[in-house]
Amino acid sequence: MSHTQLRAHPLGDTAVTITFGAVRSAELLFRVHSAARALKAANVPHVEYLALTVFYDPLGTSYEEVSRKLLDACDRVAHSTPKPAPSREHRIPVKYDGIDLEAVAASTGLSVEDVVASHSSRIYTVDLLGFVPGFAYLSELDAALQLPRRAQPRPRIAAGSVGIAAAQTAVYPLDTPGGWHIIGRTQTVMFDPTRDAPALLAPGDTVRFERIP
């Protein structure tokens, strides 16, 4: 990877977004996570917050200066052999009785049992957190289960609902609107603001869903 692939883009007047490529892969995701850790450890002057978008103080530096430093730092990471971040393995019990389970089976041409078996047999990786606090995007969903998001999102999905959409699966951490296909539910608390780490999952963690009666 080189600067011909790395790109810096302004986001408003206080942030820089770094893009690493256009084709999603596990290796590229690993590079993004590694770069995020390296930039955080580097304490780049005037950088205030890191989400890869990187927020900076425009009164202390310029977009050109910050983007150059970030690209250089990301380039060094790209040409090194970064160590994997400490990660945790989570086992999340799921009752597969979601409101879209039968519709998913019909749309994929699988039986309900096959949908459940496929979803619960894989080990997923946390790509990133977004949308709402604690919402973790997990890959890689079995290709046989991959469906586009619902054409009509629902105004409320209950916390603990397990959904699938495109190549990912997720657990809704809060009661929110949502357009994913709901195939089950869990009692596991995904987000608790009173915990030291409010979000249960972090990028790089692995997740296995365990079927319960």
Side-chain angles (χ1 to χ4, degrees):
M1 185 179 297
S2 68
H3 278 191
T4 59
Q5 293 171 286
L6 291 168
R7 293 287 187 273
H9 311 274
L11 180 63
D13 61 355
T14 62
V16 180
T17 295
I18 306 295
T19 57
F20 287 72
V23 179
R24 189 195 178 284
S25 69
E27 179 184 0
L28 186 64
L29 184 66
F30 177 68
R31 293 292 181 184
V32 172
H33 289 170
S34 299
R37 294 194 305 273
L39 290 175
K40 188 173 183 179
N43 294 316
V44 179
H46 306 293
V47 167
E48 295 181 342
Y49 181 77
L50 174 67
L52 228 73
T53 297
V54 177
F55 291 81
Y56 65 91
D57 177 6
L59 299 179
T61 187
S62 67
Y63 165 77
E64 289 76 16
E65 181 181 5
V66 170
S67 60
R68 176 179 55 79
K69 289 179 178 179
L70 297 179
L71 286 173
D72 287 343
C74 291
D75 200 38
R76 287 195 298 272
V77 170
H79 289 91
S80 65
T81 305
K83 296 180 180 179
S87 63
R88 299 166 297 168
E89 180 179 308
H90 304 266
R91 293 182 178 270
I92 298 178
V94 175
K95 186 170 185 179
Y96 286 94
D97 60 355
I99 52 178
D100 295 318
L101 181 58
E102 291 188 2
V104 167
S107 296
T108 58
L110 301 173
S111 67
V112 166
E113 181 60 34
D114 285 342
V115 170
V116 173
S118 177
H119 186 264
S120 60
S121 65
R122 300 177 77 90
I123 298 176
Y124 301 93
T125 300
V126 179
D127 289 352
L128 59 96
L129 271 64
F131 175 47
V132 294
F135 190 101
Y137 293 81
L138 311 177
S139 63
E140 294 279 340
L141 185 68
D142 189 336
L145 296 182
Q146 294 181 17
L147 296 170
R149 297 188 185 199
R150 288 172 46 85
Q152 183 64 47
R154 294 184 173 96
R156 180 182 176 275
I157 300 294
S161 297
V162 179
I164 60 173
Q168 295 177 313
T169 185
V171 181
Y172 282 78
L174 305 169
D175 293 353
T176 64
W180 293 37
H181 305 275
I182 305 305
I183 61 173
R185 55 196 167 100
T186 181
Q187 296 298 316
T188 301
V189 178
M190 306 303 294
F191 182 80
D192 180 353
T194 66
R195 290 191 300 223
D196 288 341
L200 177 65
L201 305 179
D205 286 358
T206 58
V207 176
R208 181 185 288 275
F209 294 105
E210 295 184 335
R211 182 180 188 176
I212 59 174

